[in-house]
Amino acid sequence: MDANLTSAWVLGVAGPFLLHRFYFRAAWEKLHNAAITRTNYRGEQVVTAGGVILAGYAGLIQFALLAWGAASGWSYQMLESGLLLFFGSLAVALCGWLDDCSADKAPKGFRGHLGVLWRERRMTSGMWKAFGGGGTALAVSLFLFTGIPGIIVGTGLLALSPNLLNLFDVRPARAIKVFWLLIAAAALCMPMSAAAAACWIWILPVLTASVLLFPYDAQACLMQGDTGANYLGFVAGFALVTSVPFGGQLALLLFFAGLHLLAEFVSFSRVIENTRWLNRLDEWGRSAETK
């Protein structure tokens, strides 16, 4: 790996740390003063849309890396991968932000949003978020894949991954842990080549930012909200579609679709609480007050 790429890896780690050191408190207070809050599972008002901070850390570093890469003559394929992740993840984060800021909180689940559309003939913020995320997933897949099967499966994974994290973002830091698990799965399936590994330069700032915000999320000081769940979910989906072979992507798509269907009838929180090893994993990192 040449010196430019080595320095890029260092920036992917150090950059979010510097931004966190100087800007986290101001960003948190901005959200708090703007009353971007939501009632959590314990009935407490907590600052939400923390994904704005996470996406801000990662997005700024990704932008710097894109400028650096363009000036340093990185390959077209690598720069294209960075651009797709940069714009795609920010687009779905924006959809989540609009949902976080919406007062339309009554409909829950896909059935709830469809019910409002059917009964009241109006689009909820959640439905607009779904359409925006789906459109972004399709646009990114059209650049990533050439064959129809690849485009369909890629679009499905990129569209379902953000909402999958949203399903789990109902307890402190649970969404971040699911993000880490998906990223680990993508890394295990990554082809053993320098080109494939280099593409993960774009994911590294997101991973670093998630580590930095994990303690605040775990202590119930900050919720990722739809902004963060959408952002992290899209990044995880992008890692999966660019690292996992087509057969594995198809299996994951069916698995994710099954989880979405199951979520309409089963409480994942109850399943986790009643499964000892899942409950231990879920509670890891939390204080006694947030368990």
Side-chain angles (χ1 to χ4, degrees):
M1 185 178 293
D2 61 35
N4 274 329
L5 287 180
T6 301
S7 300
W9 283 104
V10 173
L11 178 60
V13 175
F17 269 99
L18 291 175
L19 292 171
H20 184 68
R21 171 67 177 80
F22 293 105
Y23 295 109
F24 173 77
R25 177 54 59 180
W28 186 90
E29 289 179 353
K30 189 77 172 177
L31 291 172
H32 182 270
N33 293 337
I36 309 297
T37 60
R38 183 173 294 181
T39 304
N40 69 3
Y41 70 107
R42 295 190 302 173
E44 302 168 340
Q45 286 295 310
V46 179
V47 171
T48 189
V52 169
I53 303 174
L54 194 153
Y57 292 169
L60 285 171
I61 300 305
Q62 287 171 340
F63 182 80
L65 288 171
L66 283 166
W68 186 352
S72 302
W74 290 1
S75 70
Y76 171 80
Q77 181 181 10
M78 186 170 176
L79 289 174
E80 181 187 44
S81 177
L83 284 169
L84 290 174
L85 180 60
F86 177 74
F87 286 110
S89 58
L90 290 183
V92 296
L94 176 60
C95 294
W97 167 256
L98 295 175
D99 198 26
D100 280 329
C101 295
S102 171
D104 191 11
K105 303 297 183 185
K108 298 294 183 182
F110 193 64
R111 287 191 302 172
H113 293 292
L114 278 179
V116 171
L117 181 62
W118 175 260
R119 292 189 305 271
E120 304 177 23
R121 299 295 190 270
R122 69 178 179 87
M123 292 279 287
T124 63
S125 59
M127 285 298 290
W128 283 117
K129 179 182 69 173
F131 276 106
T136 301
L138 175 60
V140 170
S141 292
L142 288 172
F143 280 96
L144 287 176
F145 306 103
T146 54
I148 298 299
I151 292 173
I152 293 174
V153 173
T155 300
L157 271 180
L158 288 172
L160 288 183
S161 295
N163 198 56
L164 181 68
L165 262 71
N166 218 339
L167 293 177
F168 285 98
D169 190 30
V170 292
R171 293 292 186 275
R174 186 181 289 175
I176 291 180
K177 292 174 186 176
V178 174
F179 168 72
W180 288 345
L181 289 173
L182 295 178
I183 288 294
L188 290 173
C189 297
M190 180 182 65
M192 299 301 292
S193 67
C199 288
W200 278 64
I201 284 175
W202 313 113
I203 297 173
L204 182 59
V206 185
L207 189 58
T208 304
S210 70
V211 172
L212 291 169
L213 290 183
F214 175 80
Y216 303 94
D217 197 336
Q219 302 308 315
C221 299
L222 182 72
M223 297 171 68
Q224 292 304 311
D226 292 309
T227 309
N230 272 20
Y231 184 77
L232 290 175
F234 186 88
V235 173
F238 190 89
L240 291 170
V241 299
T242 55
S243 301
V244 179
F246 178 77
Q249 292 181 38
L250 181 58
L252 284 169
L253 177 59
L254 295 174
F255 178 61
F256 287 3
L259 287 177
H260 278 78
L261 180 62
L262 189 63
E264 297 293 329
F265 306 98
V266 176
S267 168
F268 287 169
S269 291
R270 189 168 301 167
V271 172
I272 291 171
E273 290 169 2
N274 293 332
T275 307
R276 180 176 298 180
W277 69 273
L278 284 176
N279 191 47
R280 287 183 178 178
L281 179 62
D282 188 49
E283 291 185 348
W284 172 76
R286 299 178 191 162
S287 64
E289 290 77 13
T290 56
K291 290 183 179 180

